Amino acid sequence: MSALKEAARSAVDRHADELVALSECLHADPETAWEEHRAAARVPELLDRAGFDVTASYLGLDTAFHASFGSGPTRIALCAEYDALPGLGHACGHNLIAASSVGAALGLAAVADDAGLTVEVYGTPAEEGGGGKIELLDRGAFAGVDLAMMAHPAPVDVAEARPFAVSHSKVAYTGKSAHAAAYPEAGINAADAFTVAQVAIGLLRQQLPASARVHGVVTHAGDAPNAIPERSSGRWYVRAETLAELAELEPRVMRAFEAGALATGCDLEIEPESKPYAEFRADEKALAHYRSNAVALGRAFAPPGQAARMNRASTDMGNVSQVVPAIHPYIGIGSLPATNHQHEFAAYCVGSTAQRALLDAATALAWTGVDRGQPAEEAST
C-alpha cells in the first residue's frame, strides 16, 4: 500500500467517532427532499473544522452546500446525499452516504498536496425524486471536475451502478362534487379517473419492454364516502433503460392518464417534479480502482442476482455521470432479507455493520481519489 493511501486511511480512522455520530444524528432526524435544513448545516461542520472552505446555500439552493480543500490540478468531488423518504426515514441510507463522503473528503484532504488534488464535497439535496443534482448541474456545479464519487448503502456490495432513467410526475384530476346518494348524476368523479388510468397502465404493461417500470401512488382521492370526489392527486414514476427509451415510453403512459380524464369528464394536470434522471455512465478506470481498493479492505462483491439489484435503482447521480467521470458503487450493510425502502432496512443503517460500511466506503473512495491523482506507476505500488 502506498504511503499516501495509508495516510488517507489514518485520517478517516481519526475521524471515525465523529463520522459515526454524524450518520446517527442524521438517521435520528430525517428530513425529506428540499426540507433538509438541519442536515445541510450539520454535514459540513466536520469539513469546516478541518479547514475546508464551506459555502452554504450553494448556487441559490437553500439545502445545498459546497466545500473545498487544496489546490491541486486534479479535482475530486464527493457527493453527500442526506434527504430521507416520506414515512420511511432513512430507509435508503442517505445518512451513511453523507457521512462516508465527508469521511472520504477528510481522508483525501490529508494527502491533497502530495497527491496533487483539490478535494470538493457537494451537498446534494432532494435525490428522492426532486433532482437536486440536476438543479445544481443547471446552475454550473461540477464543471471541470475530474472524478465525482459516492457510495450508496445496499443489502450487499455491488461495484457498478446501472440505474434506470426515470421521470417523476405529479398527476391531478379535477371533477365536481355532489351528494353521492341524492344527486349522483351531478358529480364528476375524480377518483374514478385514477381507476381508469391505473387499469389502462396495467394493460399497457403487456406491451412494454421487460426493463420498463411504471409505478406510483394515489395521494388523495376524496374526503367523505357520501361526497363524490372532486379532486384526486398522485405521484407517478416511469423508468426505462435510457433517456432515449424513456422519451419514447413516457407519452404512452401519459395517454393512460388522458384516458382517465376522457372517460370521466375530469380535467387533467400533469406536472414534472424534476427533470428526468439519466442512466449512469461509469468511469471504467475509476471503477476498477474502487473494486481493487474495496477488496483490499476485505469487502466481497455479490454475484448478480436478486440481492444485488439495488444497482438498478434510479439516481440523479446519473445526470452527473453524463457530464463528468463518475462512479456510484454500493456498499453492503448485511441487511438481508431487508432491502432498501423498507423500515427494516432503515434499522440496519445504524449499528456496528453500518459503521463498518461507512468507514470502508470512506476509505475505498479516498483511495480511489488517490489513484486518480497519482501517476499510474505510483498508484500501483
Side-chain angles (χ1 to χ4, degrees), residues 41-55:
R42 287 173 180 144
V43 173
E45 286 178 352
L46 264 176
L47 300 169
D48 185 51
R49 293 200 297 270
F52 279 71
D53 182 12
V54 177
T55 302

Side-chain angles (χ1 to χ4, degrees), residues 44-298:
E45 286 178 352
L46 264 176
L47 300 169
D48 185 51
R49 293 200 297 270
F52 279 71
D53 182 12
V54 177
T55 302
S57 298
Y58 183 55
L59 297 177
L61 297 179
D62 289 345
T63 58
F65 73 83
H66 179 262
S68 180
F69 186 97
S71 58
T74 301
R75 291 174 57 195
I76 303 294
L78 285 307
C79 292
E81 298 175 1
Y82 33 76
D83 60 323
L85 288 157
L88 290 171
H90 279 292
C92 212
H94 290 195
N95 59 303
L96 293 169
I97 295 172
S100 63
S101 288
V102 168
L106 293 170
L108 287 172
V111 300
D113 288 343
D114 291 331
L117 301 177
T118 297
V119 186
E120 302 179 42
V121 181
Y122 287 83
T124 61
E127 189 277 336
E128 296 288 357
K133 294 182 191 65
I134 303 173
E135 288 291 331
L136 287 168
L137 283 166
D138 287 347
R139 298 174 188 217
F142 299 99
V145 163
D146 292 286
L147 179 64
M149 302 186 290
M150 57 174 282
H152 197 298
V156 295
D157 285 74
V158 182
E160 184 178 7
R162 295 182 54 237
F164 293 108
V166 64
S167 65
H168 315 88
S169 298
K170 294 179 181 178
V171 181
Y173 292 102
T174 302
K176 185 177 181 181
S177 64
H179 195 290
Y183 309 107
E185 73 282 0
I188 298 175
N189 196 313
D192 287 352
F194 259 119
T195 299
V196 172
Q198 290 185 88
V199 170
I201 289 170
L203 295 171
L204 175 64
R205 287 191 179 100
Q206 299 174 96
Q207 275 70 55
L208 296 183
S211 59
R213 304 284 189 272
V214 184
H215 51 91
V217 293
V218 177
T219 55
H220 181 78
D223 298 298
N226 62 345
I228 290 173
E230 66 177 346
R231 182 82 174 168
S232 64
S233 58
R235 300 177 64 207
W236 239 260
Y237 290 5
V238 182
R239 303 183 197 254
E241 287 285 355
T242 64
L243 283 175
E245 184 179 284
L246 180 63
E248 295 180 1
L249 172 61
E250 189 177 23
R252 299 173 67 187
V253 177
M254 295 303 110
R255 286 197 290 271
F257 291 113
E258 293 168 6
L262 180 63
T264 59
C266 288
D267 293 326
L268 170 64
E269 301 171 65
I270 300 177
E271 177 186 355
E273 291 186 348
S274 74
K275 291 183 178 180
Y277 289 13
E279 68 273 19
F280 198 87
R281 181 185 298 163
D283 183 86
E284 294 298 333
K285 185 175 181 180
L287 190 62
H289 285 312
Y290 178 85
R291 287 180 189 273
S292 176
N293 290 325
V295 169
L297 290 168

